[in-house]
Amino acid sequence: MRIVVVGDVMLDVDLSGDATRLSPDAPVPVVDVSGVKRRAGGAGLVARMLAQDGWPVTLVTVLGDDDAGRQLEQHLAGVRLVSGPSGHASPVKTRVRAGSHPVVRFDQGCGKAPIPDVTPAMLRAVEKAGVIIVADYGRGLAANPQLRDLLARLAGTIPIIWDPHPAGAAPVPGVAVVTPNLAEASKAAQALAGERGGGQAAASAGAGRDVHGVAGDPPAQEPQDEAVQAGRILLEHWQSRAVLVTKGEQGAVLLREGRTSPDAVPAPRVEAGDPCGAGDRLAASLAVHLLAGRELGEAARLAVHDAADFLANGGVSAFPDSEADPETGPGTGREAEAASGAGAGAATAGPLRPPTPVGGKRRISEPLLLARVVRDNGGKVVATGGCFDLLHAGHVRSLAAARELGDCLIVCLNSDDSVRRLKGPERPIIGQQDRAELLLAMECVDAVMIFDEDTPEAALERLRPDIWVKGGDYKGARLPEADLVEKWGGRCLTVPYHPARSTTGLADALAKVS
């Protein structure tokens, strides 16, 4: 069940300030630096994103024996780290920003590096993964033959997301999805076309050749999207199960083996000045959704939205600093290896435990994954449903009573469209995201699952709770969802109902006041 991130790490340094004048030496802005922020970049950023969200994550990488390498260890606090020596200087990327605008970037130690060795502990950590992200930043780790052999064997049994780099190694065959951006995909496809002597293959959709370079096919009716052309070439050459080509604000396109038509994945429009980290957020989200058992198309759609939300909320510039996790401590997993003498793989081994409570609250809030974790640990999954528009004391009491029936409570929440169809055009009073946030703020609610249908049956079919709970106003009557829940051995129960407290009553009272 653990997410394992494999790849190259670097130290990212952000220098930020204001630029109000030009230098007298040259026509360049002078930035008065007011803030310096350092963080782990590359695969380290992916792992930190997952750890920040509460997912069990292990980072498998190599580190330099220098000051930047030691800083990286500190900035990876909270991540289980299994690392070997890189044998060369740690790469450092320094960005200078004036306000929200990037001015310049300096790279140190970022030249071509020899392929590093991998340790037995690194390989053991990879073998224990429930899902793997390969974050290749062109520093050689993804080209290690031992690691590639292991990844190729695992590709048939667990999802592997491969985030490629122009200077990196090709993905191993059989991975679940490869996630190049449009520029990376076009460059790789053109290079492959040149190697095969088909220099026009990457731009030949309407010239009597298809995107695979096969002669004799009828010309396409209209020019194909550049991402589709490149993606099809890469899908065939990489032999992955899918390629997801990201296109910035235009979303992404998903191409899958055995399917002739690509799937467009739209992205919500956001205002973002710096796209740095969006690809890392996408890969991290794909891993979470695939681990939860979602179908790839749905996982891609959710991941694109997650990446857009990440940028809308400030991107890497707003990403919080690392803090030592109470379980791993400030020295992360590498000190645990030295202290135990058993190797980092042994230090992180063992069955997945239930999510670590933070102030009594479970850290995993993705409903499908939470249900799976609780069930795998012998617990009972409880679910309830409703609109929960204007939370009141009756809701609080019913939810608290439902939570007492099992080991986690997941609320199936009607979406805004669903509420509108059920309650009328004036409802909901509070939007679905705010309603979900209010529910998650309650101690008794562990996760929220928003559904668009008029009834929760489709959500229940995916969630399959052990206990489905409704308010006591159903007492004496068979619940509408009983037949469905009993199909997988679940039970339907009622909890006390408080008729004097209702959303409709509150809404009417507010209307009179206004």
PDB file of all heavy atoms in Angstrom, residues 51 103 220 351 411 424 486-487:
ATOM      1  N   ALA A  51       3.686  13.259   1.249  1.00  0.00           N
ATOM      2  CA  ALA A  51       3.789  13.242   2.710  1.00  0.00           C
ATOM      3  C   ALA A  51       2.963  14.363   3.330  1.00  0.00           C
ATOM      4  O   ALA A  51       2.315  14.178   4.362  1.00  0.00           O
ATOM      5  CB  ALA A  51       5.256  13.363   3.133  1.00  0.00           C
ATOM      6  N   VAL A 103      12.780  35.854 -12.788  1.00  0.00           N
ATOM      7  CA  VAL A 103      13.746  36.717 -13.469  1.00  0.00           C
ATOM      8  C   VAL A 103      14.851  35.896 -14.120  1.00  0.00           C
ATOM      9  O   VAL A 103      15.176  36.073 -15.295  1.00  0.00           O
ATOM     10  CB  VAL A 103      14.356  37.735 -12.473  1.00  0.00           C
ATOM     11  CG1 VAL A 103      15.443  38.569 -13.149  1.00  0.00           C
ATOM     12  CG2 VAL A 103      13.260  38.645 -11.911  1.00  0.00           C
ATOM     13  N   ALA A 220      -5.695  11.723 -43.354  1.00  0.00           N
ATOM     14  CA  ALA A 220      -6.667  12.091 -42.335  1.00  0.00           C
ATOM     15  C   ALA A 220      -7.564  13.204 -42.872  1.00  0.00           C
ATOM     16  O   ALA A 220      -7.175  13.988 -43.724  1.00  0.00           O
ATOM     17  CB  ALA A 220      -5.945  12.552 -41.071  1.00  0.00           C
ATOM     18  N   PRO A 351       3.823  -4.533   7.567  1.00  0.00           N
ATOM     19  CA  PRO A 351       2.523  -4.251   6.991  1.00  0.00           C
ATOM     20  C   PRO A 351       2.102  -2.808   7.220  1.00  0.00           C
ATOM     21  O   PRO A 351       2.509  -2.177   8.188  1.00  0.00           O
ATOM     22  CB  PRO A 351       1.595  -5.212   7.744  1.00  0.00           C
ATOM     23  CG  PRO A 351       2.294  -5.463   9.043  1.00  0.00           C
ATOM     24  CD  PRO A 351       3.757  -5.430   8.729  1.00  0.00           C
ATOM     25  N   VAL A 411     -18.727  10.219   4.413  1.00  0.00           N
ATOM     26  CA  VAL A 411     -19.996  10.858   4.077  1.00  0.00           C
ATOM     27  C   VAL A 411     -20.138  10.938   2.563  1.00  0.00           C
ATOM     28  O   VAL A 411     -19.276  11.512   1.887  1.00  0.00           O
ATOM     29  CB  VAL A 411     -20.090  12.264   4.693  1.00  0.00           C
ATOM     30  CG1 VAL A 411     -21.379  12.956   4.245  1.00  0.00           C
ATOM     31  CG2 VAL A 411     -20.029  12.198   6.210  1.00  0.00           C
ATOM     32  N   GLY A 424     -34.745  21.882  -5.424  1.00  0.00           N
ATOM     33  CA  GLY A 424     -35.236  23.052  -6.130  1.00  0.00           C
ATOM     34  C   GLY A 424     -34.131  24.010  -6.508  1.00  0.00           C
ATOM     35  O   GLY A 424     -32.991  23.906  -6.033  1.00  0.00           O
ATOM     36  N   GLU A 486     -26.690  -5.075   1.039  1.00  0.00           N
ATOM     37  CA  GLU A 486     -26.663  -6.478   1.463  1.00  0.00           C
ATOM     38  C   GLU A 486     -26.024  -7.382   0.421  1.00  0.00           C
ATOM     39  O   GLU A 486     -25.632  -8.512   0.746  1.00  0.00           O
ATOM     40  CB  GLU A 486     -28.086  -6.934   1.785  1.00  0.00           C
ATOM     41  CG  GLU A 486     -28.635  -6.302   3.071  1.00  0.00           C
ATOM     42  CD  GLU A 486     -30.118  -6.532   3.264  1.00  0.00           C
ATOM     43  OE1 GLU A 486     -30.735  -7.220   2.396  1.00  0.00           O
ATOM     44  OE2 GLU A 486     -30.677  -6.025   4.254  1.00  0.00           O
ATOM     45  N   LYS A 487     -25.879  -6.902  -0.807  1.00  0.00           N
ATOM     46  CA  LYS A 487     -25.235  -7.709  -1.854  1.00  0.00           C
ATOM     47  C   LYS A 487     -23.808  -8.073  -1.483  1.00  0.00           C
ATOM     48  O   LYS A 487     -23.317  -9.148  -1.837  1.00  0.00           O
ATOM     49  CB  LYS A 487     -25.224  -6.939  -3.189  1.00  0.00           C
ATOM     50  CG  LYS A 487     -26.481  -7.099  -4.014  1.00  0.00           C
ATOM     51  CD  LYS A 487     -26.461  -6.212  -5.254  1.00  0.00           C
ATOM     52  CE  LYS A 487     -25.147  -6.281  -5.996  1.00  0.00           C
ATOM     53  NZ  LYS A 487     -25.167  -5.421  -7.220  1.00  0.00           N
TER      54      LYS A 487
END
